[in-house]
Amino acid sequence: MASQSTNLWVLLGLGLAGIVLLTRKLKKSVREDFGAFIQKLNLLPPPQPAPPKAPHPLTALTFALSDLFDIEGHVSTFGHPEWARTHEPASSTSPAVAALVEGGATCVATTVVDDLALGIGGENKHYGTPTNPALPARVPGGSSSGAAVAVAANFVDFALGIDTIGGVRVPAGFCGILGFRPSHGAVSHKGIIPISTSLDTVGWFAKDPNILRLVGHILLQAPFVIQRSPRQIVIADDCFQHINVPLDRSSQVVVKATEKLFGRQVLKHINLGDYISSRVPSLKGCSGQKTNGELKASSLKLLANIMQFLQRHEFRLMHDEWMNIVKPDLHPAVSAQLHEKLEVSDVEIENSKAVRSEMRAAVNSLLKDEGILVIPTVADPPPKLGGKEILSEDYQSRVFSLLSIASISGCCQVSIPLGFYDKYPVSVSLIARHGGDRFLLDTLQTVYTTLQEQADIASKSQSSGNVVSKEQSAEIAKEKGNQAYKDKQWQKAIGFYTEAIKLSGDNATYYSNRAQAYLELGSYLQAEADCTKAISLDKKNVKAYFRRGTAREMLGYYKEAIDDFKHALVLEPTNKRAASAAERLRKLFQEGEGDKKQEMLMEDLLGLLRIHIKRGVNLAVRDVNTSDPYAVVRMGKQKLKTRVIKKDVNPEWNEDLTLSVTDPILPLILTVYDHDTFSKDDKMGDAEFDIAPYIEALKMNIEDLPSGTIMTRISPCRTNCLSEESCITYVDGKIVQDVVLRLRNVECGEVEIQLEWIALPGSKENVY
């Protein structure tokens, strides 16, 4: 009996010892200040002015700052002890910090940054990685990690950081707080350790939008203006298609809040990548670089490459001498950036400058004075502490593609938390034109509460008793896609079908439906790929076979197209459309002649003509005081159309339509219509254009031809519908023709397009 009692006391003692050890371990792993601070400060504001003067605007607020701002008598660490060891204390305080203290705030501490403020993860082995209050096992985001954590953990009311390629926006998104990157140059850089002078901005964090706005008023020193509501909220649908959060928890939250506050008429959906590609021509000078094994990278990936190139190049210009002398021990992610071989030419520098200038003009043109662009802040959840995910090329490409939009354009951006999804913080970002900082802060104050309400509704609808499964959510997304398709909003439909595929990737219908939307846009390669995927999932999917046949016919693969139409007829003998298509091709391609006939057809096929429908200008009014225009392009029996742009007589389509060309004599006919829901669509004019001069230019010898060379000029006349001179130009290995068509049979209106040739294997050799 005594032995049993002794054993019990031993077990109890061991248990208590274990609890004590575990408690000590937890206290050690999560420090009292969450590892955010490096040095405590006490920079006090001046005394309050005597009444009746108003008190200082930031009275009673506390703040911290990333440890790369000058504080008189203090040595900044710049995220590395070797920097502090080899530099002298600052002789004065940064004007940004001084302005906040003069405005009534108290500065209480400096905070941790990534090594030399170059990372985006927030990890620092020298001073310790600050603990993310939202997700302790995940990185807090960098480079201004400590500043974000100090705000998220309620240690301070706001904090200053540096945002070069995401140093404020990423930690704001990862920690679930507000983060503001101002327009480049809007806040003084004096008294801050430079990273990349053409990208650096002084940003700030807060939990309260009113505090974020007050701090902005002090730092921006912007003149007072009457608060305005946004006239347009532009949703970048393509950016939301590739994030790991459902649309109903991200972009749809913004859509519903916008509809509630400003009405549906202010909403606009665009493919931002296509818009940038059409408005930033200097990006083509970077298109030869390989990205993830693909020769042609998207415009956003190219922007990301330029952003990273500028950061590395300018950092080395400023700090290479110190790096070579000191040889600091760096985090692997930072070391990989700095030790990567970087050959810089004057051409690359000038091209990067051109991209920055064109990108700013493009965003300013899109948003004007009172527009807001909506994108995700980050594409993925915060990576695990110590993990290698953040080092992968794919991860960095995804995150930098989003961050490059504001960094390269120099426009202002605010990251807004929208609660949690699957235990991870969700955030979206609003972007305004360069110089629109005060308008963006005012808009944030207007929309913040409604955004949180809509995010809460979306979260509760998911976690309620009637939990919607992923399959049910996918069906809901598909139905939304179907409705968008019926409304002729092809790009929006693609976004919903993509969302359905994310939720349930083994449903053939979702791929087949997305393929049909791609067909409407003239994106035949994507349509063919989606149909092939649908068929691999469901061998009896008649629509997938028919749609793949249509895509292949447009691509000039007639034999394969006939095979698809035949297969559709085997599965559904009464399918009249498949029978008609098969018969049409059979007349061109008689059975039994095999590859010889295929070669003959390819010999007749000159190639594919990609028509980029840019925009309409001053189109006719067909409704009360506006129109809902879309464009239809015809060549022979081929017919393609753009999506409908609601309530806009100056629509920005930016869509590619692709036609197969067998006879250069056939004219290109473009017609614009006004979409009506309850009656026949109204015609808004048409134009006819001869492509023969363009085909002839393709046959010219282009060896050693400098990029930008104008090969042929076509003057406007009564027969060609040209509004101005059209130039056929050799640009970066391609021959393109820019055309402005004057619409006829209507009171007014022009349409801007660009022609580009796509050569096919086996097509006529004498064509470029």
Side-chain angles (χ1 to χ4, degrees), residues 642-674:
T642 68
R643 70 188 189 281
V644 176
I645 302 292
K646 296 285 187 181
K647 301 183 186 304
D648 197 342
V649 293
N650 293 286
E652 298 270 356
W653 284 296
N654 286 311
E655 291 188 32
D656 288 332
L657 306 179
T658 306
L659 299 169
S660 55
V661 180
T662 56
D663 185 355
I665 298 177
L666 287 175
L668 185 71
I669 300 173
L670 182 144
T671 309
V672 180
Y673 292 92
D674 171 52

mmCIF file of all heavy atoms in Angstrom, residues 642-674:
data_model
loop_
_atom_site.group_PDB
_atom_site.id
_atom_site.type_symbol
_atom_site.label_atom_id
_atom_site.label_comp_id
_atom_site.label_asym_id
_atom_site.label_seq_id
_atom_site.Cartn_x
_atom_site.Cartn_y
_atom_site.Cartn_z
ATOM 1 N N THR A 642 -17.010 40.303 -78.561
ATOM 2 C CA THR A 642 -16.464 40.660 -77.253
ATOM 3 C C THR A 642 -17.559 40.566 -76.191
ATOM 4 O O THR A 642 -18.726 40.320 -76.500
ATOM 5 C CB THR A 642 -15.924 42.093 -77.259
ATOM 6 O OG1 THR A 642 -17.031 43.005 -77.404
ATOM 7 C CG2 THR A 642 -14.936 42.312 -78.384
ATOM 8 N N ARG A 643 -17.173 40.823 -74.959
ATOM 9 C CA ARG A 643 -18.154 40.890 -73.885
ATOM 10 C C ARG A 643 -18.881 42.236 -73.938
ATOM 11 O O ARG A 643 -18.438 43.171 -74.598
ATOM 12 C CB ARG A 643 -17.476 40.733 -72.527
ATOM 13 C CG ARG A 643 -16.607 41.908 -72.115
ATOM 14 C CD ARG A 643 -15.815 41.586 -70.849
ATOM 15 N NE ARG A 643 -15.124 42.721 -70.295
ATOM 16 C CZ ARG A 643 -13.981 43.207 -70.757
ATOM 17 N NH1 ARG A 643 -13.392 42.655 -71.800
ATOM 18 N NH2 ARG A 643 -13.397 44.249 -70.183
ATOM 19 N N VAL A 644 -19.982 42.325 -73.231
ATOM 20 C CA VAL A 644 -20.747 43.573 -73.143
ATOM 21 C C VAL A 644 -20.152 44.447 -72.043
ATOM 22 O O VAL A 644 -19.839 43.971 -70.950
ATOM 23 C CB VAL A 644 -22.235 43.282 -72.828
ATOM 24 C CG1 VAL A 644 -23.005 44.583 -72.635
ATOM 25 C CG2 VAL A 644 -22.858 42.445 -73.930
ATOM 26 N N ILE A 645 -19.959 45.725 -72.338
ATOM 27 C CA ILE A 645 -19.540 46.699 -71.328
ATOM 28 C C ILE A 645 -20.765 47.539 -70.966
ATOM 29 O O ILE A 645 -21.340 48.215 -71.824
ATOM 30 C CB ILE A 645 -18.419 47.615 -71.846
ATOM 31 C CG1 ILE A 645 -17.199 46.793 -72.292
ATOM 32 C CG2 ILE A 645 -18.020 48.620 -70.760
ATOM 33 C CD1 ILE A 645 -16.472 46.102 -71.192
ATOM 34 N N LYS A 646 -21.169 47.478 -69.724
ATOM 35 C CA LYS A 646 -22.389 48.159 -69.294
ATOM 36 C C LYS A 646 -22.186 49.673 -69.158
ATOM 37 O O LYS A 646 -21.186 50.133 -68.610
ATOM 38 C CB LYS A 646 -22.855 47.591 -67.941
ATOM 39 C CG LYS A 646 -23.270 46.126 -67.971
ATOM 40 C CD LYS A 646 -24.617 45.948 -68.633
ATOM 41 C CE LYS A 646 -25.117 44.517 -68.508
ATOM 42 N NZ LYS A 646 -26.414 44.327 -69.172
ATOM 43 N N LYS A 647 -23.153 50.406 -69.686
ATOM 44 C CA LYS A 647 -23.278 51.847 -69.463
ATOM 45 C C LYS A 647 -21.970 52.598 -69.712
ATOM 46 O O LYS A 647 -21.443 53.295 -68.844
ATOM 47 C CB LYS A 647 -23.773 52.130 -68.031
ATOM 48 C CG LYS A 647 -25.109 51.503 -67.701
ATOM 49 C CD LYS A 647 -25.566 51.875 -66.307
ATOM 50 C CE LYS A 647 -26.828 51.143 -65.893
ATOM 51 N NZ LYS A 647 -27.940 51.315 -66.779
ATOM 52 N N ASP A 648 -21.437 52.481 -70.916
ATOM 53 C CA ASP A 648 -20.155 53.124 -71.223
ATOM 54 C C ASP A 648 -20.053 53.340 -72.734
ATOM 55 O O ASP A 648 -20.035 52.387 -73.504
ATOM 56 C CB ASP A 648 -18.997 52.243 -70.741
ATOM 57 C CG ASP A 648 -17.686 53.013 -70.654
ATOM 58 O OD1 ASP A 648 -17.594 54.093 -71.265
ATOM 59 O OD2 ASP A 648 -16.765 52.534 -69.980
ATOM 60 N N VAL A 649 -20.011 54.599 -73.158
ATOM 61 C CA VAL A 649 -19.829 54.883 -74.587
ATOM 62 C C VAL A 649 -18.355 55.024 -74.946
ATOM 63 O O VAL A 649 -18.016 55.326 -76.090
ATOM 64 C CB VAL A 649 -20.621 56.156 -75.005
ATOM 65 C CG1 VAL A 649 -22.115 55.916 -74.910
ATOM 66 C CG2 VAL A 649 -20.192 57.359 -74.177
ATOM 67 N N ASN A 650 -17.483 54.825 -73.950
ATOM 68 C CA ASN A 650 -16.038 54.764 -74.193
ATOM 69 C C ASN A 650 -15.501 53.466 -73.576
ATOM 70 O O ASN A 650 -14.657 53.483 -72.674
ATOM 71 C CB ASN A 650 -15.333 55.974 -73.588
ATOM 72 C CG ASN A 650 -15.724 57.262 -74.290
ATOM 73 O OD1 ASN A 650 -15.293 57.527 -75.409
ATOM 74 N ND2 ASN A 650 -16.553 58.075 -73.620
ATOM 75 N N PRO A 651 -15.999 52.321 -74.055
ATOM 76 C CA PRO A 651 -15.674 51.046 -73.389
ATOM 77 C C PRO A 651 -14.225 50.618 -73.604
ATOM 78 O O PRO A 651 -13.639 50.850 -74.655
ATOM 79 C CB PRO A 651 -16.631 50.059 -74.080
ATOM 80 C CG PRO A 651 -16.841 50.639 -75.440
ATOM 81 C CD PRO A 651 -16.854 52.135 -75.238
ATOM 82 N N GLU A 652 -13.663 49.976 -72.581
ATOM 83 C CA GLU A 652 -12.324 49.385 -72.668
ATOM 84 C C GLU A 652 -12.511 47.869 -72.721
ATOM 85 O O GLU A 652 -12.660 47.221 -71.687
ATOM 86 C CB GLU A 652 -11.489 49.780 -71.445
ATOM 87 C CG GLU A 652 -11.241 51.263 -71.298
ATOM 88 C CD GLU A 652 -9.976 51.718 -72.004
ATOM 89 O OE1 GLU A 652 -9.267 50.847 -72.546
ATOM 90 O OE2 GLU A 652 -9.713 52.930 -72.014
ATOM 91 N N TRP A 653 -12.509 47.287 -73.925
ATOM 92 C CA TRP A 653 -12.693 45.839 -74.036
ATOM 93 C C TRP A 653 -11.400 45.086 -73.734
ATOM 94 O O TRP A 653 -11.379 44.163 -72.944
ATOM 95 C CB TRP A 653 -13.189 45.472 -75.437
ATOM 96 C CG TRP A 653 -14.622 45.768 -75.684
ATOM 97 C CD1 TRP A 653 -15.693 45.210 -75.068
ATOM 98 C CD2 TRP A 653 -15.152 46.715 -76.625
ATOM 99 N NE1 TRP A 653 -16.859 45.739 -75.570
ATOM 100 C CE2 TRP A 653 -16.559 46.656 -76.524
ATOM 101 C CE3 TRP A 653 -14.570 47.581 -77.549
ATOM 102 C CZ2 TRP A 653 -17.384 47.446 -77.312
ATOM 103 C CZ3 TRP A 653 -15.393 48.364 -78.331
ATOM 104 C CH2 TRP A 653 -16.783 48.305 -78.208
ATOM 105 N N ASN A 654 -10.317 45.458 -74.414
ATOM 106 C CA ASN A 654 -9.025 44.782 -74.254
ATOM 107 C C ASN A 654 -9.177 43.268 -74.347
ATOM 108 O O ASN A 654 -8.765 42.531 -73.454
ATOM 109 C CB ASN A 654 -8.362 45.184 -72.932
ATOM 110 C CG ASN A 654 -7.794 46.586 -72.988
ATOM 111 O OD1 ASN A 654 -7.085 46.928 -73.930
ATOM 112 N ND2 ASN A 654 -8.148 47.412 -72.023
ATOM 113 N N GLU A 655 -9.764 42.804 -75.442
ATOM 114 C CA GLU A 655 -9.979 41.378 -75.662
ATOM 115 C C GLU A 655 -9.320 40.933 -76.957
ATOM 116 O O GLU A 655 -9.260 41.696 -77.931
ATOM 117 C CB GLU A 655 -11.475 41.053 -75.717
ATOM 118 C CG GLU A 655 -12.184 41.209 -74.385
ATOM 119 C CD GLU A 655 -13.613 40.700 -74.458
ATOM 120 O OE1 GLU A 655 -13.870 39.741 -75.213
ATOM 121 O OE2 GLU A 655 -14.475 41.272 -73.764
ATOM 122 N N ASP A 656 -8.846 39.696 -76.966
ATOM 123 C CA ASP A 656 -8.250 39.105 -78.164
ATOM 124 C C ASP A 656 -9.244 38.157 -78.823
ATOM 125 O O ASP A 656 -9.771 37.247 -78.173
ATOM 126 C CB ASP A 656 -6.977 38.331 -77.807
ATOM 127 C CG ASP A 656 -5.832 39.248 -77.433
ATOM 128 O OD1 ASP A 656 -5.806 40.384 -77.911
ATOM 129 O OD2 ASP A 656 -4.965 38.831 -76.637
ATOM 130 N N LEU A 657 -9.496 38.364 -80.108
ATOM 131 C CA LEU A 657 -10.318 37.471 -80.915
ATOM 132 C C LEU A 657 -9.430 36.916 -82.023
ATOM 133 O O LEU A 657 -8.671 37.661 -82.653
ATOM 134 C CB LEU A 657 -11.512 38.209 -81.513
ATOM 135 C CG LEU A 657 -12.405 38.978 -80.519
ATOM 136 C CD1 LEU A 657 -13.537 39.677 -81.259
ATOM 137 C CD2 LEU A 657 -12.956 38.057 -79.451
ATOM 138 N N THR A 658 -9.500 35.619 -82.275
ATOM 139 C CA THR A 658 -8.588 34.973 -83.222
ATOM 140 C C THR A 658 -9.356 34.336 -84.368
ATOM 141 O O THR A 658 -10.272 33.536 -84.149
ATOM 142 C CB THR A 658 -7.736 33.903 -82.501
ATOM 143 O OG1 THR A 658 -7.094 34.495 -81.381
ATOM 144 C CG2 THR A 658 -6.678 33.343 -83.444
ATOM 145 N N LEU A 659 -8.980 34.692 -85.617
ATOM 146 C CA LEU A 659 -9.606 34.168 -86.823
ATOM 147 C C LEU A 659 -8.577 33.394 -87.633
ATOM 148 O O LEU A 659 -7.393 33.745 -87.654
ATOM 149 C CB LEU A 659 -10.155 35.307 -87.679
ATOM 150 C CG LEU A 659 -11.236 36.207 -87.054
ATOM 151 C CD1 LEU A 659 -11.459 37.427 -87.930
ATOM 152 C CD2 LEU A 659 -12.532 35.436 -86.887
ATOM 153 N N SER A 660 -9.016 32.333 -88.323
ATOM 154 C CA SER A 660 -8.137 31.629 -89.248
ATOM 155 C C SER A 660 -8.249 32.295 -90.611
ATOM 156 O O SER A 660 -9.347 32.646 -91.061
ATOM 157 C CB SER A 660 -8.518 30.151 -89.332
ATOM 158 O OG SER A 660 -9.876 30.002 -89.683
ATOM 159 N N VAL A 661 -7.112 32.476 -91.277
ATOM 160 C CA VAL A 661 -7.069 33.212 -92.541
ATOM 161 C C VAL A 661 -6.654 32.255 -93.659
ATOM 162 O O VAL A 661 -5.576 31.659 -93.622
ATOM 163 C CB VAL A 661 -6.076 34.391 -92.464
ATOM 164 C CG1 VAL A 661 -6.044 35.143 -93.797
ATOM 165 C CG2 VAL A 661 -6.456 35.329 -91.332
ATOM 166 N N THR A 662 -7.531 32.091 -94.628
ATOM 167 C CA THR A 662 -7.216 31.292 -95.812
ATOM 168 C C THR A 662 -7.204 32.156 -97.073
ATOM 169 O O THR A 662 -6.555 31.811 -98.052
ATOM 170 C CB THR A 662 -8.255 30.161 -96.001
ATOM 171 O OG1 THR A 662 -9.569 30.731 -96.060
ATOM 172 C CG2 THR A 662 -8.175 29.179 -94.834
ATOM 173 N N ASP A 663 -7.915 33.269 -97.019
ATOM 174 C CA ASP A 663 -8.010 34.146 -98.187
ATOM 175 C C ASP A 663 -7.808 35.590 -97.749
ATOM 176 O O ASP A 663 -8.673 36.174 -97.092
ATOM 177 C CB ASP A 663 -9.380 33.972 -98.845
ATOM 178 C CG ASP A 663 -9.505 34.769 -100.146
ATOM 179 O OD1 ASP A 663 -8.555 35.522 -100.472
ATOM 180 O OD2 ASP A 663 -10.533 34.629 -100.820
ATOM 181 N N PRO A 664 -6.659 36.189 -98.103
ATOM 182 C CA PRO A 664 -6.396 37.565 -97.648
ATOM 183 C C PRO A 664 -7.295 38.603 -98.290
ATOM 184 O O PRO A 664 -7.321 39.756 -97.866
ATOM 185 C CB PRO A 664 -4.930 37.783 -98.039
ATOM 186 C CG PRO A 664 -4.706 36.855 -99.188
ATOM 187 C CD PRO A 664 -5.565 35.647 -98.914
ATOM 188 N N ILE A 665 -8.044 38.201 -99.335
ATOM 189 C CA ILE A 665 -8.935 39.152 -100.000
ATOM 190 C C ILE A 665 -10.192 39.410 -99.170
ATOM 191 O O ILE A 665 -10.819 40.462 -99.266
ATOM 192 C CB ILE A 665 -9.307 38.630 -101.412
ATOM 193 C CG1 ILE A 665 -8.049 38.510 -102.269
ATOM 194 C CG2 ILE A 665 -10.327 39.535 -102.078
ATOM 195 C CD1 ILE A 665 -8.292 37.940 -103.643
ATOM 196 N N LEU A 666 -10.557 38.420 -98.320
ATOM 197 C CA LEU A 666 -11.748 38.604 -97.502
ATOM 198 C C LEU A 666 -11.555 39.774 -96.540
ATOM 199 O O LEU A 666 -10.559 39.834 -95.810
ATOM 200 C CB LEU A 666 -12.025 37.324 -96.691
ATOM 201 C CG LEU A 666 -12.564 36.123 -97.459
ATOM 202 C CD1 LEU A 666 -12.668 34.913 -96.535
ATOM 203 C CD2 LEU A 666 -13.931 36.433 -98.066
ATOM 204 N N PRO A 667 -12.494 40.714 -96.501
ATOM 205 C CA PRO A 667 -12.333 41.857 -95.602
ATOM 206 C C PRO A 667 -12.692 41.486 -94.161
ATOM 207 O O PRO A 667 -13.402 40.521 -93.898
ATOM 208 C CB PRO A 667 -13.336 42.872 -96.155
ATOM 209 C CG PRO A 667 -14.416 42.025 -96.762
ATOM 210 C CD PRO A 667 -13.724 40.810 -97.311
ATOM 211 N N LEU A 668 -12.183 42.293 -93.283
ATOM 212 C CA LEU A 668 -12.527 42.187 -91.863
ATOM 213 C C LEU A 668 -13.663 43.170 -91.604
ATOM 214 O O LEU A 668 -13.537 44.356 -91.897
ATOM 215 C CB LEU A 668 -11.309 42.530 -91.016
ATOM 216 C CG LEU A 668 -11.411 42.377 -89.510
ATOM 217 C CD1 LEU A 668 -11.450 40.900 -89.145
ATOM 218 C CD2 LEU A 668 -10.216 43.042 -88.832
ATOM 219 N N ILE A 669 -14.770 42.676 -91.075
ATOM 220 C CA ILE A 669 -15.937 43.535 -90.829
ATOM 221 C C ILE A 669 -16.205 43.580 -89.334
ATOM 222 O O ILE A 669 -16.375 42.535 -88.686
ATOM 223 C CB ILE A 669 -17.183 43.020 -91.574
ATOM 224 C CG1 ILE A 669 -16.921 42.998 -93.082
ATOM 225 C CG2 ILE A 669 -18.391 43.898 -91.252
ATOM 226 C CD1 ILE A 669 -18.017 42.348 -93.887
ATOM 227 N N LEU A 670 -16.188 44.784 -88.774
ATOM 228 C CA LEU A 670 -16.441 44.984 -87.343
ATOM 229 C C LEU A 670 -17.743 45.754 -87.174
ATOM 230 O O LEU A 670 -17.936 46.800 -87.799
ATOM 231 C CB LEU A 670 -15.276 45.729 -86.696
ATOM 232 C CG LEU A 670 -15.374 45.959 -85.181
ATOM 233 C CD1 LEU A 670 -13.997 45.843 -84.544
ATOM 234 C CD2 LEU A 670 -15.971 47.327 -84.849
ATOM 235 N N THR A 671 -18.614 45.220 -86.330
ATOM 236 C CA THR A 671 -19.899 45.871 -86.061
ATOM 237 C C THR A 671 -20.069 46.022 -84.553
ATOM 238 O O THR A 671 -19.736 45.102 -83.792
ATOM 239 C CB THR A 671 -21.072 45.043 -86.628
ATOM 240 O OG1 THR A 671 -20.819 44.732 -87.991
ATOM 241 C CG2 THR A 671 -22.376 45.819 -86.519
ATOM 242 N N VAL A 672 -20.556 47.168 -84.132
ATOM 243 C CA VAL A 672 -20.800 47.416 -82.705
ATOM 244 C C VAL A 672 -22.306 47.408 -82.463
ATOM 245 O O VAL A 672 -23.076 47.973 -83.242
ATOM 246 C CB VAL A 672 -20.189 48.758 -82.254
ATOM 247 C CG1 VAL A 672 -20.455 48.993 -80.772
ATOM 248 C CG2 VAL A 672 -18.689 48.785 -82.526
ATOM 249 N N TYR A 673 -22.708 46.717 -81.383
ATOM 250 C CA TYR A 673 -24.130 46.631 -81.014
ATOM 251 C C TYR A 673 -24.323 47.116 -79.581
ATOM 252 O O TYR A 673 -23.412 47.045 -78.739
ATOM 253 C CB TYR A 673 -24.616 45.184 -81.106
ATOM 254 C CG TYR A 673 -24.676 44.620 -82.504
ATOM 255 C CD1 TYR A 673 -23.580 43.935 -83.027
ATOM 256 C CD2 TYR A 673 -25.808 44.748 -83.293
ATOM 257 C CE1 TYR A 673 -23.613 43.403 -84.317
ATOM 258 C CE2 TYR A 673 -25.857 44.221 -84.576
ATOM 259 C CZ TYR A 673 -24.756 43.555 -85.083
ATOM 260 O OH TYR A 673 -24.802 43.032 -86.349
ATOM 261 N N ASP A 674 -25.527 47.589 -79.320
ATOM 262 C CA ASP A 674 -25.957 47.920 -77.959
ATOM 263 C C ASP A 674 -26.804 46.765 -77.440
ATOM 264 O O ASP A 674 -27.824 46.417 -78.046
ATOM 265 C CB ASP A 674 -26.769 49.219 -77.948
ATOM 266 C CG ASP A 674 -27.418 49.468 -76.599
ATOM 267 O OD1 ASP A 674 -26.705 49.427 -75.589
ATOM 268 O OD2 ASP A 674 -28.650 49.669 -76.560
#
